[in-house]
Amino acid sequence: MNIFRRKSVADLQSEALTDHSLKRVLGPLNLILLGIGCTIGAGIFVLTGHVAAATAGPGVILSYVLAGLASIFAAFCYSEFASLVPMSGSAYTYSYATMGELFAWIIGWDLILEYAVGGMTVAIGWSGHFNELMKSVGIHLPPQLTAAYGATVTLADGSSATAWFNLPAVFIVAATTTLLVIGIKESARFNNIIVFVKLAVIGVFVVGALHAINPANWHPFIPAAIPPGPDHPDGAFGWSGVFHGAGTVFFAYIGFDAVSTAAQEAKNPQRDMPIGIIGSLLVCTVLYILVAAIATGVVPYAELGGDAPIVYAAQKAGMSNWISILIDLGIVAGLSSVIMVLLMGQSRVFWSMSRDGLLPEFINRVHPKFKTPWITSIITGVVVAFFSATFTLGEAGELCSIGTLLAFVIVCISVLVLRVREPHHIRTFRTPAIWFVAPAGAISAFILMYKLPGITWLRLIVWFVIGMVLYFTYSVNHSKLRDKTP
Ligand code: ALA
């Protein structure tokens, strides 16, 4: 049993170039928009305010810079890999080529935390925003159908009741899954429209609120540190708050790497993967810093802790009520593309794993007409819908962040390992200053992981124990490499 058997880069490259089971329709602009579609979501619209109010003050701007730096290092490493081995499995496949099967399995298993748990988190967030939007136009959904099973909800007459399940969350997961099954072109088209709406909403906020900035709100830029106490169990503010905030707002950056899971659906992946990955990240970083700066400039940071801080800042900047509704609408639309691209990433990773034999083979069928991995898309959709309907938001976001950060650490290390071990491959994109960028990417991602709470680490460990049991009871014996290795 050789658990460190590797797939060769040459084999993967010929597989990537000769395999036409998925439709190759995505060009560079579509890929950038896919990255933006998956990245801009709940993070910027909600977490910015929470981190400003409770953790970092106006220093949240620096938190965005720090998390953006960690992401850009990883984006370079992802780009080198995605152009060298343009496969849907993304980090899972890259590890298969460098660290061997066991690590590949660990990363594939870990990516479930990024894509499926991420999709579930955003679906629950979507449901909350959707509800608010419905209320603002006078439509009241039965409260029992808008929250996780067992959660307490308030009825119209003011009395309390226990919720059954979160229907809007199920609806959005079902709708995006249907699109993913129907076709990658259709999904990309939907994504393009949504990205346009999201960017328009951010544009309206930036232009409409700029005049209301009061520089006094940025002083002190980093509020004095508060030691741990009953109100702030982890302490708050000061430089430590800025770093802690970076770990939290990192969630806002999750998604640009999902571009790499569309490698087998890109027309010219060698050239366009780096454009999609780095391009979308740069656009998002600039917008995030701008929005964080304006929100904290318009409103004293302590007031930004509510459910919809950007809408609050827009109102405080004097924008009329309909602009708030427009922003809310933009958030609802925006989150739907995040869910769709995360689910797309998950189904592509499952698809790649089952093609390698590590998951049951029947799930890797491609739909004869739509040319999409429809079985993995539906399985992903059903599982995510179930959990979104029955779980509360809780710490799911942090679990998603720790999973993504771990993938970043491994991708940054792997890219360096492959440069040293197999320097001869022609790399159409080379990570600049790799001896600095790759270690810096791995270390910065690890520091952000380190800043996440102990309970999140514990969940990560439990998740891996389950993964190990599955690997050693099923995958290791079904791997396609089983017969090829001595
Ligand atoms: N980055 C995505 C968001 O902020 C996951 O919603």
Side-chain angles (χ1 to χ4, degrees):
M1 187 158 71
N2 180 2
I3 54 175
F4 296 111
R5 51 199 168 200
R6 292 193 288 133
K7 287 189 110 177
S8 83
V9 171
D11 281 354
L12 284 169
Q13 282 178 328
S14 70
E15 196 180 326
L17 299 177
T18 52
D19 185 333
H20 297 294
S21 34
L22 302 180
K23 253 193 209 164
R24 290 196 177 275
V25 292
L26 305 174
L29 184 63
N30 268 326
L31 292 168
I32 293 183
L33 296 179
L34 210 60
I36 299 177
C38 190
T39 308
I40 299 182
I44 186 64
F45 292 119
V46 181
L47 290 180
T48 312
H50 291 186
V51 170
T55 320
V60 65
I61 302 168
L62 294 179
S63 303
Y64 269 112
V65 173
L66 288 174
L69 264 179
S71 305
I72 196 79
F73 292 144
F76 281 131
C77 299
Y78 263 96
S79 296
E80 177 163 333
F81 258 136
S83 56
L84 181 67
V85 185
M87 301 287 283
S88 311
S90 180
Y92 154 76
T93 308
Y94 314 151
S95 322
Y96 219 151
T98 45
M99 310 234 204
E101 188 173 283
L102 180 67
F103 277 97
W105 169 266
I106 290 177
I107 280 303
W109 191 243
D110 171 65
L111 288 178
I112 298 177
L113 296 182
E114 172 172 4
Y115 295 130
V117 176
M120 170 185 137
T121 313
V122 183
I124 301 170
W126 184 90
S127 165
H129 282 282
F130 178 73
N131 259 336
E132 290 307 313
L133 189 66
M134 289 291 104
K135 275 187 210 159
S136 66
V137 292
I139 300 173
H140 294 269
L141 303 172
Q144 290 96 329
L145 294 179
T146 58
Y149 172 74
T152 306
V153 286
T154 311
L155 302 181
D157 62 5
S159 62
S160 299
T162 304
W164 303 326
F165 71 102
N166 195 337
L167 183 63
V170 174
F171 165 77
I172 188 65
V173 173
T176 48
T177 300
T178 309
L179 256 175
L180 287 173
V181 170
I182 291 177
I184 184 70
K185 214 173 187 170
E186 291 71 9
S187 308
R189 210 170 284 148
F190 168 78
N191 180 66
N192 295 351
I193 297 168
I194 298 288
V195 168
F196 177 78
V197 174
K198 270 200 265 219
L199 295 182
V201 165
I202 293 184
V204 167
F205 175 72
V206 169
V207 174
L210 211 53
H211 73 94
I213 289 179
N214 173 7
N217 287 329
W218 288 325
H219 298 288
F221 194 66
I222 301 179
I226 299 177
D231 287 345
H232 299 278
D234 294 324
F237 306 115
W239 272 102
S240 160
V242 170
F243 277 97
H244 186 176
T248 310
V249 299
F250 173 74
F251 183 78
Y253 285 100
I254 292 175
F256 69 86
D257 52 310
V259 173
S260 60
T261 65
Q264 282 175 266
E265 283 144 293
K267 287 186 207 155
N268 183 355
Q270 271 107 339
R271 188 197 65 187
D272 294 344
M273 276 292 123
I275 298 178
I277 296 171
I278 299 172
S280 58
L281 177 60
L282 288 181
V283 171
C284 295
T285 308
V286 170
L287 293 179
Y288 287 178
I289 293 172
L290 210 57
V291 169
I294 292 177
T296 51
V298 169
V299 182
Y301 67 86
E303 292 177 24
L304 287 170
D307 280 345
I310 302 300
V311 173
Y312 179 76
Q315 283 166 344
K316 286 283 168 181
M319 293 188 210
S320 61
N321 222 15
W322 71 264
I323 290 199
S324 315
I325 294 184
L326 196 75
I327 291 181
D328 245 350
L329 187 70
I331 298 175
V332 170
L335 293 186
S336 60
S337 72
V338 177
I339 299 166
M340 187 189 78
V341 187
L342 287 175
L343 298 187
M344 181 201 84
Q346 180 61 76
S347 63
R348 273 44 176 185
V349 173
F350 277 158
W351 184 72
S352 303
M353 291 173 84
S354 80
R355 281 165 68 99
D356 293 336
L358 302 189
L359 290 177
E361 253 179 86
F362 77 92
I363 64 172
N364 74 29
R365 285 194 204 129
V366 172
H367 195 281
K369 179 160 163 232
F370 303 134
K371 294 276 182 211
T372 51
W374 65 291
I375 300 188
T376 52
S377 297
I378 290 176
I379 293 178
T380 304
V382 169
V383 173
V384 170
F386 176 77
F387 286 108
S388 324
T390 51
F391 272 55
T392 52
L393 207 58
E395 277 112 354
E398 284 177 335
L399 195 57
C400 172
S401 292
I402 204 167
T404 311
L405 286 165
L406 183 63
F408 283 13
V409 171
I410 298 207
V411 167
C412 290
I413 295 174
S414 302
V415 86
L416 198 54
V417 169
L418 203 66
R419 274 277 192 109
V420 173
R421 199 194 274 153
E422 299 177 34
H424 56 278
H425 294 299
I426 295 169
R427 291 162 164 88
T428 47
F429 178 86
R430 294 175 76 82
T431 304
I434 192 161
W435 285 98
F436 167 72
V437 169
I443 293 169
S444 52
F446 187 78
I447 292 175
L448 294 184
M449 280 174 87
Y450 177 74
K451 286 281 167 194
L452 289 168
I455 181 74
T456 309
W457 276 87
L458 188 67
R459 290 189 177 125
L460 182 72
I461 293 166
V462 170
W463 183 246
F464 280 121
V465 172
I466 301 172
M468 284 298 94
V469 171
L470 281 180
Y471 177 71
F472 284 105
T473 51
Y474 177 85
S475 310
V476 75
N477 299 317
H478 291 80
S479 164
K480 291 255 172 76
L481 290 190
R482 190 182 73 240
D483 307 324
K484 292 189 190 158
T485 36

